[in-house]
Amino acid sequence: MLKKVDPEKTETWEKLLRYYKKMKNIPLKELFKDTARFDKYSVKFDNILLDYSKNKIDGTVMSLLIELSEISGLDRAIESMFAGEKINETEDRAVLHTALRDLTNTELILDDKNILTDIRSVREKMKVFSCSVREGVFKGYTGKKITDVVNIGIGGSDLGPHMACEALKHYSDKGPRVHFVSNVDGSHITETLKHLDQETTLFLVASKTFTTQETMTNAQTAREWFLSEAKDKEYIKNHFAALSSNAEKVSQFGIDIENMFEFWDFVGGRFSLWSAIGLPVAISVGYDLYEQMLKGAEKTDIHFKNEPFVRNIPVILGLLGIWYSDFFGCECEFVLPYDQYLSRFPAFLQQLSMESNGKSVSRHGKNTGYRTAQVLMGEPGTNGQHSFYQLIHQGTHMIPSDFLCAVHPLNPVSDHHDKLLANFLSQTEALAFGRSEQEVIEKLRSEKRTENEIERISPHRVFPGDRPSNSIIYDRLTPDTLGKLIAIYEHKVFVQGVIWNIFSFDQWGVELGKELAVKVLDEIRNGNGNESYDVSTAGLISYIKEKRGF
Ligand code: G6Q
């Protein structure tokens, strides 16, 4: 079980607070007088390099942060998670997404059962199914090959596979096209189905519970669309598969249990990419490459379990996040992939981090009183540069940012990659070291500007610098690298949750809105009285009803 240590009440926290008061006034420029800084604060793990030297840290900060992780029982927490202890206490569940990418032939006993046996057998079933869809052995009801696969799911049953299919698109040459429908807004499924053909479309209904309103609504619409052409319900088995843990509901929906790919309670939604939820990835790029992604994640698991904290990438990233959130008071963090294939990585990480650690009640059941997860956002570079980077460079907030880029491009077109790399490198340099007023004045003078102009313009062109970032460089975006990167962030989130003394694996915060929506739905559908609502909600409902002619 996880230790329950209130980090704020530890002596180390106090020491960090005192040290922060000193560190905040030492600019990065000053810290970089130490020419060994890159060697001291960078870590290599296989084909990935993390440079965290452009952070407002020194040896003392890092030792204190590591001390904090030790006091919090991080070592033991890691062991507990991998061993399948029920560390998701509020739901009484183990947290074993790591078992899904355990490709060794060992065993892992949970509730008297070797779960690796079940995991292997679902993986085998995924292998056979994905191959047969890709090779056209699995056929539609008129005997045609499947050309389009539509994954219907939301949250954890959408964000991971959607992100991974996008990230590995380069490798999907012979696979069918893969589409993702998540939003209950009818426009999402309508626009997706518009260009598809019932005879050649396969639906994967991805829902652990098989009760999620958005997913079941979209799945029903897909079923009606299919039957409008195919007519006979017998054909559903040729066009619908389920990724779920609820066999009863799957069969009630009319999906053949043969076409159900199971996963289990010990897999949380946002960590479920490694389970049957990854089936669209296997179909898109082929099972072997899908398994390479799992292998990459497994390598990160080994790194996370075995590397001392000083060289442990998820631990370092997690600690830096805490340093900025709790001591510098940063409310936001950015993840900026200089890799178009990672365009959906920030969206995936938003859920991973904010749904896991966006909590304010500690494992003691009391208000934390200190900050937990920051708001996470991001966009691929260089697009972000022409959009919101203004704020990170010259705004009033300090926003620690992770920059990611490949050394080698997957598409070596002219000098695109040189330019991408140049932008990637320059941005972190500009953020850290900025441009002083003196430098601005000299530059304007060299441009032959008048002294009046210089006086007027120069304050606006100063870059204060001293803005922290991490650089993560990988050789090229392969399935193995993608697996490693995702697992690095998963474990970063785990590290932070352990130290913040919160439960990272539940998500009670999404429940209230869902419950209220049931009541409001009745109102919208049947026009029942609205006297039990607050005046704002009641006013909005009346307005909508009036407009809809109720
Ligand atoms: C993630 C959450 C959540 C979940 C969705 C979909 O950790 O649990 O995002 O994945 O609500 O749930 P179903 O897979 O049950 O439809």
Side-chain angles (χ1 to χ4, degrees), residues 38 42-51 313 403 471-475:
F38 175 78
S42 60
V43 188
K44 279 192 203 121
F45 154 49
D46 275 7
N47 50 1
I48 295 180
L49 168 78
L50 163 68
D51 167 27
I313 293 185
F403 285 72
S471 299
I472 299 175
I473 305 185
Y474 43 91
D475 286 359

Side-chain angles (χ1 to χ4, degrees), residues 64-96:
L64 287 172
L65 287 171
I66 285 172
E67 191 178 294
L68 184 66
S69 68
E70 285 162 355
I71 294 171
S72 311
L74 180 60
D75 242 331
R76 176 76 194 94
I78 296 172
E79 275 171 33
S80 303
M81 176 172 72
F82 280 92
E85 288 175 33
K86 297 199 171 164
I87 59 169
N88 178 358
E89 283 183 43
T90 55
E91 293 179 327
D92 194 27
R93 287 179 188 162
V95 174
L96 278 172

Side-chain angles (χ1 to χ4, degrees), residues 8-23:
E8 215 184 15
K9 298 210 172 99
T10 64
E11 228 176 87
T12 314
W13 190 276
E14 280 304 313
K15 285 191 226 162
L16 276 162
L17 209 51
R18 281 198 297 277
Y19 205 71
Y20 153 72
K21 288 178 185 145
K22 178 181 160 205
M23 277 311 285

Side-chain angles (χ1 to χ4, degrees), residues 153-157 206-212 215 263 268-272 277 351 355 507 510 514:
I154 196 164
S157 300
S207 176
K208 183 169 156 184
T209 52
F210 230 72
T211 56
T212 304
T215 302
F263 64 111
R270 54 195 173 276
F271 297 87
S272 62
I277 290 294
Q351 184 195 28
E355 198 165 83
Q507 53 284 317
V510 302
K514 277 195 216 168

Side-chain angles (χ1 to χ4, degrees), residues 148-152 177-183 185-197 201 203 218 225:
D148 293 89
V149 173
V150 181
N151 188 84
I152 298 179
R177 287 177 292 268
V178 182
H179 314 264
F180 288 84
V181 171
S182 53
N183 200 331
D185 181 342
S187 303
H188 202 176
I189 191 149
T190 305
E191 284 301 330
T192 309
L193 297 182
K194 227 178 212 174
H195 309 287
L196 304 187
D197 184 335
T201 300
F203 292 96
N218 278 320
W225 175 82

